[in-house]
Amino acid sequence: MKFYQLTRAQRLAALVNAGQLSDADAAFLAADTPLPAAVAASLTENQLGQFALPLGIARDLRVNGVTYQVPMVTEEPSVIAAASNGARLAALNGGVQATTTPHLVEGEIVFEHVADPVAAAKLVRARTAELMAVAAAAHPSIVRRGGGLQAVRVSTPGRFFKVTLVVAPQAAMGANIVNTIAEAVAATLTVWLAQPALVAILTNASAQLTTATVVLDPATLGTKTTDGSAIAARIAALSELATCDVARAVTHNKGIMNGIDAAILASGNDTRAVEAGVQAFAAASGQYQPLAQWHLTATGTLVGELKLPLQVGVVGGAISALPAAQVAQRLGGYKDVVTLQQVVAALGLVQNLAALRALVGPGIQAGHMTLQARALAIAVGAQGDEINRVAAGLATVPKDRAHAQAVLAALRKDETT
Ligand code: NDP
């Protein structure tokens, strides 16, 4: 039986048997363990309750020769199915290759009333060592971990004078680390420049990029009705359309973020930080661009490449407070930031592949609506095993509320007669 056809208990057992999940983590997931009350109350203001979402995995995503089980938290039924399908197609072709540039996060300290920016820049450059010492004193533990402030740059955006701090946050995402350092350095600069800083905070923009690439033999892309080389050519055309049509690029990228947001959320990272950075990167050229692009080579192979910034960590923030995020990090095998970035980028690429292949082939509604049928069944009140039975009953009729209600009513009538 395929993984998705197993019961939840069987899936957990399969992962334990494969050495991909510990007994303790399997028990944690099976019990639907809620957040401890004190943790929930501490993570947000005005807490009223908890908000559950399903956690699943994209199976067997091969990245740089290693196979990962990628935990994803999402409410959209087709996302994990598509990711697993994309991972399968990539694996048939040797998997995804991924690279990253060093994990650095920048802080910006901006002043509004610098009369002589050239002199101010000279001052900052001449006394950079002092700023380094201030930064180290503000966050000594990150220095002990081999990170901290690495470089200081000066620029003049518009009428402002800006000092950029380049910080290595090591295994953390780094927002708080950078903000702590930025505020301390800003206090020193305030004295030197005789004025308060307008702002001292990290930027969620990032020049540190993760790249995922896959090279596909079109023969592996065929569907029941369409030849693989025709699909490959249409995927390349659809990708080209996204480079010149913002309307398409936005939806193209939404499909990529379906996977990325779900994996980032499961890992306990800040989805808003990632989204803000990614969307800024997509628009950086002045025209909003697709994050992943596909082209045919002279030999007829289809090459896909996704490039994006991913401000994430494997420690810090809410990660240690969220037991499910820690389970997800272990299940995902995210031993360091580089692994997390590369797996997440590879996931985004195969998610895009699955979506484009469906779009240029059978369309996405066939698969979507089959999965959506279960959500529809729940919406009309189906419970327990009624959910799958109502979904099955919708296979040959329009998948709408009225039909779902009728199928459920018929089912219940049969049960009582
Ligand atoms: P933390 O403030 O939790 O800092 C990470 C901590 O993890 C460090 O202080 C360090 O403490 C500890 N740590 C343990 N091992 C390591 C290691 N190997 N490398 C680095 N640190 C280690 O988190 P971040 O600075 O990463 O900030 C992320 C949080 O900030 C997220 O919750 C995010 O939502 C939030 N945030 C985001 C903003 C944004 O994106 N604009 C703005 C403000 C906050 P020690 O060394 O003392 O053990």
Side-chain angles (χ1 to χ4, degrees):
M1 269 216 282
K2 297 203 169 128
F3 192 74
Y4 70 87
Q5 293 167 322
L6 302 175
T7 63
R8 178 160 79 123
Q10 289 169 330
R11 285 185 209 124
L12 289 168
L15 292 170
V16 170
N17 287 339
Q20 292 159 340
L21 187 69
S22 70
D23 285 319
D25 286 350
F28 175 89
L29 292 172
D32 293 326
T33 315
L35 276 180
V39 172
S42 309
L43 283 180
T44 191
E45 293 294 310
N46 299 347
Q47 191 234 345
L48 296 177
Q50 298 194 18
F51 188 108
L53 282 172
L55 180 148
I57 51 168
R59 286 283 277 163
D60 298 339
L61 175 63
R62 253 183 111 62
V63 188
N64 295 339
V66 179
T67 301
Y68 294 90
Q69 312 302 317
V70 188
M72 300 169 74
V73 171
T74 178
E75 87 297 348
E76 193 176 344
S78 54
V79 168
I80 289 182
S84 292
N85 190 23
R88 181 187 62 79
L89 293 171
L92 289 174
N93 291 273
V96 178
Q97 300 302 312
T99 58
T100 41
T101 53
H103 176 43
L104 298 168
V105 178
E106 296 186 352
E108 53 176 6
I109 307 168
V110 179
F111 295 87
E112 202 181 356
H113 304 292
V114 174
D116 186 349
V118 175
K122 220 166 148 186
L123 174 77
V124 170
R125 287 197 191 101
R127 299 181 71 177
T128 292
E130 288 172 61
L131 297 181
M132 292 280 188
V134 169
H139 210 308
S141 72
I142 198 64
V143 178
R144 282 197 295 278
R145 294 183 185 284
L149 183 58
Q150 307 291 299
V152 177
R153 290 198 311 265
V154 175
S155 59
T156 50
R159 65 185 180 85
F160 300 97
F161 179 77
K162 175 162 113 171
V163 177
T164 297
L165 309 179
V166 182
V167 176
Q170 306 303 82
M173 177 268 197
N176 288 323
I177 294 171
V178 172
N179 291 346
T180 300
I181 292 173
E183 288 192 1
V185 171
T188 299
L189 290 171
T190 292
V191 176
W192 293 358
L193 300 174
Q195 62 186 287
L198 180 64
V199 71
I201 191 171
L202 90 154
T203 171
N204 289 111
S206 178
Q208 316 307 322
L209 301 179
T210 302
T211 305
T213 312
V214 69
V215 180
L216 302 164
D217 176 352
T220 60
L221 296 175
T223 64
K224 278 180 205 142
T225 51
T226 318
D227 169 66
S229 53
I231 288 188
R234 283 164 63 80
I235 287 177
L238 200 48
S239 171
E240 185 186 339
L241 173 65
T243 64
C244 51
D245 175 26
V246 173
R248 174 87 282 272
V250 172
T251 317
H252 180 100
N253 288 347
K254 191 275 181 182
I256 292 170
M257 299 315 287
N258 272 341
I260 289 183
D261 280 347
I264 295 290
L265 184 58
S267 77
N269 273 281
D270 184 332
T271 50
R272 293 85 56 209
V274 169
E275 274 288 354
V278 167
Q279 301 307 334
F281 175 72
S285 68
Q287 160 136 352
Y288 188 84
Q289 286 292 306
L291 297 160
Q293 303 205 13
W294 300 83
H295 71 272
L296 290 171
T297 64
T299 57
T301 56
L302 179 69
V303 177
E305 184 186 273
L306 175 142
K307 209 184 264 286
L308 79 180
L310 287 167
Q311 267 184 355
V312 292
V314 292
V315 298
I319 296 167
S320 28
L322 295 173
Q326 289 170 42
V327 171
Q329 295 234 5
R330 287 191 286 273
L331 178 55
Y334 305 147
K335 59 182 172 19
D336 50 30
V337 171
V338 169
T339 304
L340 175 58
Q341 288 172 324
Q342 293 183 346
V343 169
V344 166
L347 178 72
L349 184 65
V350 301
Q351 194 86 48
N352 188 226
L353 171 63
L356 297 184
R357 179 169 173 261
L359 278 175
V360 304
I364 61 164
Q365 281 311 82
H368 259 239
M369 292 315 286
T370 304
L371 292 163
Q372 203 66 37
R374 289 205 289 263
L376 198 55
I378 295 167
V380 297
Q383 292 178 357
D385 71 346
E386 285 175 346
I387 296 170
N388 279 335
R389 292 167 69 195
V390 171
L394 289 170
T396 51
V397 296
K399 291 175 189 52
D400 58 27
R401 223 182 148 82
H403 282 89
Q405 276 163 342
V407 173
L408 179 62
L411 202 97
R412 287 183 174 167
K413 195 164 169 231
D414 283 354
E415 299 276 286
T416 53
T417 51

